[in-house]
Amino acid sequence: MTETTDVVVVGGGQAGLAAGYYLRRAGLDFAILDAAEAPGGAWQHYWESLRLFSPAAYSSLPGRPMPGQAGTEWPDADHVARYLAEYEKRYEFPVHRPVSVTEVTETCGGGLLVHTGDGTWHTRALISATGSWTRPFVPAVPGRELFTGQQLHTTGYHRATDFTDQRVVVVGGGNSGAQIAADLIGHAAAVRWVTRRPARLLPDEIDGRALFEIATRRVTDGGPRISDLGDIVATEPVRAARDAGLLTDHPMFTALTPTGPHWPDGEVWPADTIIWCTGFRPALAHLAPLGLRTGERGRIATAGTRAASDPRIHLLGYGDWTGPASATLIGVGRTARQAVAEITDLLR
């Protein structure tokens, strides 16, 4: 089976839906192919205690404000997933799921073929909005295969009560590492938070609204980078654990033994579980057949959201290299609008 459309959007999370909003407004024929079983993007898989950095009003996709969540200023992941499902339904986007895109190839006439497990789509342009949740990264640490306890990534963490009475090592100096370590305190028997470099919390007053403003100012007038100020948003649970003296970071261990991490001074900390909060890589294997030019850190080279070597391809929502704050709910709308405007000019 082969379908034909103007634009294929690969991915039905927040970035794919923001693209759908502007594609609908532009009057282009399009299809959103989503590998997930249900709407909500990665938000339907996050841990139970996760909260947004910003109030609902500052966490909205274009055209539809996120409603507040009863009882809290900071919505949880389930609330966001429900909002995305409602957003998709409200605008009646042509979402096809579950549809896994395996590869994108060229046609003889200058078009693109999007190959899936359910058939092929012929399209004139493509927006890749697959995110990174499906590509968790775990560093190659000597002895990792020797550890006899449990190892999981952020993607496998759901709730602190799953680790009651366990000794848990949380690895990672970003937001997920700090939040999960703080979440475990009071439930696990002991928690050791490990980072490659000293943890740097952002000033307490900085939330998602301020982060978006900083990222925008950086692009428009060369303002400070977020990384100049810190790496971790001081959410309420993180601040509480920090202020109680319960959340302190330890330097990275050099190896794993069967019983736990080993440090250069000879210390071995017995552990039941290691949680790797060590980030993700963009899920872009489907674009490999196109041989797109790579740039810094091996990423696909981009000019805004557009692939530098192919104007038919746009990348949306992967991080600042595809637009300032493009991996956030509030930020992805701006970059989606830019991508659709360029695609519209190309196709017309």
Side-chain angles (χ1 to χ4, degrees):
M1 180 184 70
T2 300
E3 302 277 358
T4 300
T5 190
D6 290 330
V7 185
V8 165
V9 180
V10 185
Q14 63 195 38
L17 297 183
Y21 176 84
Y22 286 109
L23 287 165
R24 175 64 52 78
R25 287 185 60 180
L28 293 172
D29 186 32
F30 68 99
I32 300 174
L33 310 182
D34 189 24
E37 295 281 345
W43 292 98
Q44 59 192 306
H45 305 299
Y46 285 123
W47 61 95
E48 290 180 357
S49 67
L50 179 71
R51 296 294 184 273
L52 291 180
F53 296 152
S54 305
Y58 294 88
S59 305
S60 301
L61 292 181
R64 174 64 171 167
M66 180 188 292
Q69 182 175 357
T72 180
E73 185 180 9
W74 314 98
D76 62 20
D78 284 345
H79 183 80
V80 179
R82 289 192 296 271
Y83 164 70
L84 295 181
E86 189 276 335
Y87 186 91
E88 176 184 314
K89 183 178 179 180
R90 174 186 177 88
Y91 291 108
E92 299 181 331
F93 292 139
V95 180
H96 303 259
R97 68 166 58 91
V99 175
S100 295
V101 173
T102 54
E103 62 178 4
V104 180
T105 59
E106 301 264 7
T107 69
C108 296
L112 297 166
L113 289 178
V114 182
H115 304 271
T116 80
D118 300 298
T120 303
W121 289 78
H122 181 278
T123 186
R124 301 164 65 197
L126 181 138
I127 297 176
S128 184
T130 50
S132 59
W133 184 258
T134 58
R135 284 200 65 204
F137 171 74
V138 176
V141 175
R144 186 156 62 90
E145 72 284 357
L146 302 177
F147 179 62
T148 57
Q150 176 184 210
Q151 297 185 59
L152 63 152
H153 191 268
T154 307
T155 56
Y157 180 80
H158 301 295
R159 61 192 67 82
T161 52
D162 292 339
F163 303 90
T164 301
D165 298 330
Q166 292 190 29
R167 292 170 61 86
V168 183
V169 177
V170 179
V171 183
N175 285 300
S176 59
Q179 291 179 35
I180 288 175
D183 194 38
L184 287 165
I185 292 170
H187 296 278
V191 179
R192 179 167 285 198
W193 180 31
V194 175
T195 62
R196 286 198 176 276
R197 64 180 185 181
R200 301 187 307 149
L201 270 64
L202 289 156
D204 289 0
E205 66 272 14
I206 292 184
D207 61 8
R209 291 168 291 192
L211 291 175
F212 178 69
E213 291 169 1
I214 292 168
T216 301
R217 193 162 65 249
R218 174 71 180 173
V219 173
T220 57
D221 60 15
R225 295 175 299 181
I226 293 170
S227 59
D228 293 336
L229 306 176
D231 303 313
I232 300 165
V233 177
T235 61
E236 184 176 345
V238 169
R239 290 198 304 271
R242 176 202 64 193
D243 294 345
L246 300 175
L247 185 65
T248 57
D249 57 304
H250 298 261
M252 183 63 185
F253 48 84
T254 53
L256 281 172
T257 72
T259 58
H262 177 276
W263 277 268
D265 62 2
E267 179 190 11
V268 174
W269 199 76
D272 300 296
T273 296
I274 297 172
I275 303 176
W276 299 96
C277 301
T278 45
F280 300 83
R281 298 293 183 263
L284 295 172
H286 55 290
L287 299 180
L290 298 177
L292 300 173
R293 180 164 60 85
T294 56
E296 184 182 358
R297 298 172 63 182
R299 296 166 174 164
I300 293 174
T302 55
T305 63
R306 174 175 51 81
S309 58
D310 192 332
R312 301 169 300 176
I313 308 295
H314 284 254
L315 290 85
L316 191 59
Y318 294 97
D320 288 347
W321 60 286
T322 57
S326 71
T328 67
L329 285 158
I330 192 173
V332 73
R334 174 180 296 175
T335 45
R337 182 175 59 206
Q338 172 192 341
V340 172
E342 293 189 23
I343 288 172
T344 301
D345 289 342
L346 176 71
L347 299 187
R348 291 181 176 171

